[in-house]
């Protein structure tokens, strides 16, 4: 607003940095498609609006990227594959359209785990390669919104949009030390996003701060006639998010569930819970029943729906898929209609349990991920990585939100002795993202310092 810096200057810096991070060793591979001309066109239009004091929103001139799962003009809608999106897109997904209308500068589309089928972000195919964790390039970013989290952590943009069907926003946000919000199921439109799993996937922002996530959420969260699941939603509000303390809030913790994580993660998360208590919140012990049943049922639902949607791809493009994707879809083909029906009965039960729990507490706290980002091995670069035990473990605290549709927020709270980020997760009842953001803002104050990632670009320099 002061005119000391213009969106055009920032855009030029970003273009130089996008060129640089593709040439670095190893390449960052956060943004996999970008176009200098497109970036400059949006930036120049924004610069003119600032000059004429007629900006469109608080996102005007702000650089953003979107996961390759979204249609974004004029990029290829590849969804992490080598065979989809053979022609450039001619129509934007709803979220891309809304970001443009808000004046944001779309700097490109970000890398992702092929077809969203994994939680490491490992995608060795020729269009994508493996995105690197800015905190340690020898470690994975997490997935499937891998490039989105890497881009934000590395400073290329303060906002990225991802999708989350089994932790795909919150896992990479946690591993890369940034904020990730999974909205309530249906809250943010999925129109123009490949419908891999229609009952578990929510859209959400990955941002440098909770305040940024709140701004993006307030712009994107509303009904969309092209996306029927969210039509009946209550109005999105940010009420009380800036309250001076947390007095009156009840934080639910199932300690048995909470403690199933690495010692370093547990220690940081327990201290963060104490910090929230010191601000006036009370911790209430809750019991999350049938979590093992819910975990298995979530896997059956998400994989069955993906297998159903990707049946033609599996038959026609099997040999063009990564080995891990083939294995996951082959496993999915073993589930029966009976399994799927039983899994959905379990969903009804689990949602009922949550209704009861949320009548006594305002949110549920868990660690973000039970461990820190895993190491990348040489073989992963060539053939990919398939580690089912890691996949299951990384989704431990994530699945409840996807299975039942409740919103979840991960906020970085510290680092392991190896310098890798650790996060805490807050989940709330359906449509109550405001309480997550209120707690998230206070959670940010717990971390006494933010360590600079080893790969970091200052786009304002």
């Amino acid at each position: 607003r002061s005119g000391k810096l213009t969106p055009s200057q920032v855009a030029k810096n970003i273009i130089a940095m996008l060129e640089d991070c593709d040439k670095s060793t190893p390449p960052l591979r956060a943004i996999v498609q970008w176009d200098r001309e497109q970036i400059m066109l949006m930036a120049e239009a924004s610069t003119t609006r600032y000059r004429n004091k007629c900006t469109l929103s608080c996102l005007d001139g702000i650089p953003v990227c979107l996961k390759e799962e979204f249609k974004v003009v004029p990029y290829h809608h590849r969804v992490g594959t080598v065979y989809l999106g053979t022609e450039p897109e001619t129509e934007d997904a709803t979220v891309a359209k809304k970001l443009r209308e808000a004046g944001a500068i779309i700097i490109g589309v970000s890398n992702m785990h092929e077809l969203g089928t994994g939680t490491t972000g490992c995608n060795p195919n020729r269009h994508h390669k493996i995105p690197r964790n800015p905190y340690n390039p020898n470690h994975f970013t997490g997935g499937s919104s891998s490039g989105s989290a890497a881009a934000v952590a590395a400073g290329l943009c303060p906002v990225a949009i991802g999708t989350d069907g089994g932790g795909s926003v919150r896992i990479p946000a946690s591993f890369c030390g940034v904020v990730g919000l999974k909205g309530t199921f249906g809250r943010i439109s999925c129109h123009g996003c490949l419908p891999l799993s229609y009952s578990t996937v929510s859209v959400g922002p990955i941002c440098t701060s909770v305040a940024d996530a709140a701004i993006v959420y307030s712009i994107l969260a509303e009904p969309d006639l092209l996306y029927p699941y969210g039509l009946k939603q209550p109005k999105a509000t940010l009420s009380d998010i800036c309250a001076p303390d947390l007095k009156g809030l009840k934080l639910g913790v199932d300690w048995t569930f909470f403690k199933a994580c690495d010692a370093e993660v547990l220690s940081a998360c327990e201290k963060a819970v104490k910090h929230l208590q010191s601000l006036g919140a009370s911790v209430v012990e809750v019991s999350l029943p049938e979590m093992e049943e819910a975990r298995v049922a979530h896997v059956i639902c998400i994989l069955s729906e993906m297998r159903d949607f990707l049946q033609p791809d599996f038959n026609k493009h099997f040999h063009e898929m990564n080995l891990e994707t083939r294995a996951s879809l082959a496993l999915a083909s073993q589930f029966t209609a009976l399994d799927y029906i039983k899994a959905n009965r379990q969903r009804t039960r689990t949602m009922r349990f949550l209704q009861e729990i949320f009548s006594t507490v305002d949110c549920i706290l868990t660690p973000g991920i039970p461990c820190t980002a895993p190491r990348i091995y040489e073989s992963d670069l060539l053939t990919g990585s398939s580690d089912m035990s890691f996949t299951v473990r990384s989704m431990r605290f994530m699945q409840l939100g996807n299975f039942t549709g409740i919103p979840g927020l991960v906020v970085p709270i510290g680092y392991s002795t190896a310098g890798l980020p650790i996060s805490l997760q807050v989940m709330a009842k359906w449509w109550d993202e405001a309480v997550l953001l209120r707690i998230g803002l206070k959670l940010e104050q717990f971390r006494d310092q933010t360590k600079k990632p080893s790969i970091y670009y200052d786009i304002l320099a």
Side-chain angles (χ1 to χ4, degrees), residues 167-185:
S168 287
V169 159
R170 293 162 294 155
I171 291 170
S174 297
F175 281 160
C176 293
V178 288
V179 172
L181 171 66
K182 179 198 91 71
T184 303
F185 177 75

Side-chain angles (χ1 to χ4, degrees), residues 326-337:
R326 294 184 215 173
S328 299
L329 293 175
L331 168 68
S333 67
Q334 300 306 302
F335 296 130
T336 64

Side-chain angles (χ1 to χ4, degrees), residues 267-276 279 412-414 441-449:
S267 169
C269 289
E270 284 178 330
K271 285 177 191 155
V273 173
K274 286 199 175 106
H275 166 73
L276 296 177
L279 293 166
I413 54 161
L441 284 167
K442 295 291 180 275
L443 209 44
E444 276 181 325
Q445 298 166 2
F446 166 71
R447 188 173 52 164
D448 55 354
Q449 58 159 333

Side-chain angles (χ1 to χ4, degrees), residues 376-397:
I376 297 170
Y377 292 97
E378 280 301 309
S379 59
D380 300 336
L381 306 176
L382 302 170
T383 53
S385 166
S386 183
D387 181 345
M388 275 299 174
S389 63
F390 168 76
T391 305
V392 167
R393 191 157 188 249
S394 63
M395 294 189 341
R396 174 178 172 81
F397 301 118

